[in-house]
């Protein structure tokens, strides 16, 4: 089980801890999963035929699986980093599949870090408007002075690779 305190990176110097936690929460809510850090947790899910779709886009390991309480050998199934396990007829009951997985990024991805700083600093007029990491650069038009965790279209574009889409 995840402890909420484990999900929040310590706020960088000059950033209020509360604003940082709110920004982390807003980003994770928008993405639909915790994204970072890498954790091992047990999830209850529902299969769709031979597909089991988990709330992650960075699946590292599948440790154990049961379907309707019956242990399933992961050798009977094939899984992808995007959180899809197939090759077994999964329970279609709500919470009928229990899976213990390791997933997430080991640290906060650079693009997300930039969004977090922008959100957390938006209330004091010193918001980050551009982040560059290697050959990649992202620029935001931050005009809100509310200090809230309202995501701009630029934020959403930066977060798109980490957001769960429509899933079966």
């Amino acid at each position: 089980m995840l402890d909420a305190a484990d999900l929040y990176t310590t706020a960088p110097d000059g950033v209020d801890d509360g604003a940082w936690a709110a920004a982390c929460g807003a980003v994770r809510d928008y993405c639909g999963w915790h994204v970072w850090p890498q954790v091992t947790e047990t999830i209850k899910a529902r299969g769709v035929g031979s597909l089991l779709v988990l709330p992650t886009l960075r699946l590292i390991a599948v440790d154990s699986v049961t379907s309707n309480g019956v242990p399933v050998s992961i050798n009977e199934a094939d899984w992808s980093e995007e959180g899809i396990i197939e090759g077994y007829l999964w329970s279609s009951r709500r919470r009928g599949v229990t899976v213990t997985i390791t997933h997430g990024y080991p640290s906060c991805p650079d693009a997300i870090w930039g969004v977090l700083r922008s959100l957390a600093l938006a209330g004091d007029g010193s918001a980050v408007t551009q982040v560059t990491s290697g050959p990649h650069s992202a620029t935001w038009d931050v005009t809100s002075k509310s200090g809230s965790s309202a995501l701009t279209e630029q934020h959403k574009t930066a977060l798109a690779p980490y957001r769960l889409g429509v899933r079966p």
Side-chain angles (χ1 to χ4, degrees):
M1 181 63 126
L2 288 175
D3 181 349
D6 295 335
L7 291 178
Y8 299 100
T9 308
T10 303
D13 290 341
V15 177
D16 176 75
D17 287 339
W20 188 256
C24 288
V27 165
R28 288 186 168 118
D29 286 348
Y30 181 76
C31 290
W33 65 295
H34 79 276
V35 187
W36 86 98
Q38 195 171 94
V39 296
T40 298
E41 68 176 324
T42 299
I43 295 172
K44 301 274 188 179
R46 176 186 203 169
V48 179
S50 65
L51 287 179
L52 180 63
V53 182
L54 303 172
T56 185
L57 291 177
R58 180 88 170 176
L59 184 59
I60 305 301
V62 179
D63 301 316
S64 67
V65 184
T66 63
S67 184
N68 285 328
V70 177
V72 175
S73 169
I74 198 58
N75 295 332
E76 296 176 33
D78 185 32
W79 59 272
S80 71
E81 183 178 78
E82 293 80 21
I84 298 172
I85 305 176
E86 56 187 322
Y88 184 84
L89 187 56
W90 303 107
S91 171
S92 61
R93 288 181 34 233
R94 293 181 195 275
R95 302 175 52 89
V97 179
T98 302
V99 58
T100 300
I101 60 171
T102 301
H103 68 129
Y105 290 84
S107 60
C108 182
D110 290 343
I112 293 178
W113 187 263
V115 171
L116 293 173
R117 284 191 58 87
S118 173
L119 289 172
L121 294 173
D124 68 6
S126 61
V128 172
T129 58
Q130 182 173 3
V131 173
T132 302
S133 178
H136 307 288
S137 180
T139 303
W140 293 274
D141 176 18
V142 180
T143 56
S144 170
K145 299 287 183 187
S146 68
S148 73
S149 297
L151 294 169
T152 66
E153 287 306 311
Q154 292 89 355
H155 293 142
K156 291 175 183 180
T157 298
L159 295 173
Y162 306 99
R163 187 172 193 215
L164 293 176
V166 176
R167 299 173 66 97

